[in-house]
């Protein structure tokens, strides 16, 4: 049996540039129940994002928007947009590790 992921609770999980030095990811949850899980600080927090994306925990910003059932996450890009080592110029694939984050059965 397949494990439930954050993507399973969402209409969409996406990522994009927030300027040349930042990435923003947005999780649009299907309903209030999904939002309750995704917005729970014991499940999704700065430490979890820092580990997923190998960034400093103190640079991660998380915005929880209950009226829209949205969780928004921003952190510095590992390399600046368009630099020689930039493998995803539009940051369009950065959301994948977040989308695959397992949601525990106890939630």
């Amino acid at each position: 049996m397949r494990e439930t992921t954050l993507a399973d609770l969402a209409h969409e999980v996406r990522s994009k540039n927030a300027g040349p030095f930042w990435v923003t990811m947005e999780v649009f949850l299907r309903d209030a129940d999904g939002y309750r899980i995704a917005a729970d600080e014991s499940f999704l927090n700065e430490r979890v994002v820092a580990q997923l994306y190998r960034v400093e925990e103190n640079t991660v910003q998380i915005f929880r928007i209950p009226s829209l059932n949205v969780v928004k996450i921003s952190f510095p890009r590992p390399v600046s947009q368009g630099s020689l080592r930039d493998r995803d110029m539009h940051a369009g694939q950065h959301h994948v590790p977040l989308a695959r984050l397992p949601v525990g059965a106890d939630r």
Side-chain angles (χ1 to χ4, degrees), residues 17-34:
N17 285 328
F21 306 109
W22 284 80
V23 170
T24 291
M25 296 182 292
E26 297 157 331
V27 183
F28 296 88
L29 286 309
R30 295 183 187 282
D31 53 32
D33 290 335

Side-chain angles (χ1 to χ4, degrees), residues 50-106:
Q51 290 174 346
L52 280 175
Y53 291 95
R54 298 183 181 108
V55 296
E56 294 294 324
E57 183 176 336
N58 65 349
T59 65
V60 176
Q61 299 176 3
I62 300 178
F63 307 92
R64 294 168 177 87
I65 310 167
S67 61
L68 300 174
N69 291 335
V70 170
V71 176
K72 183 174 180 174
I73 301 166
S74 295
F75 57 85
R77 288 176 60 100
V79 297
S80 62
Q81 179 186 16
S83 70
L84 185 59
R85 295 184 314 155
D86 186 8
R87 297 176 52 106
D88 184 1
M89 186 142 164
H90 301 288
Q93 299 302 312
H94 283 61
H95 69 280
V96 174
L98 181 65
R100 290 183 174 172
L101 188 65
V103 176
D106 60 336

Side-chain angles (χ1 to χ4, degrees), residues 2-21:
R2 188 173 79 75
E3 190 169 38
T4 301
T5 65
L6 191 56
D8 294 322
L9 304 178
H11 281 295
E12 182 175 12
V13 182
R14 69 182 182 191
S15 57
K16 59 188 176 181
N17 285 328
F21 306 109

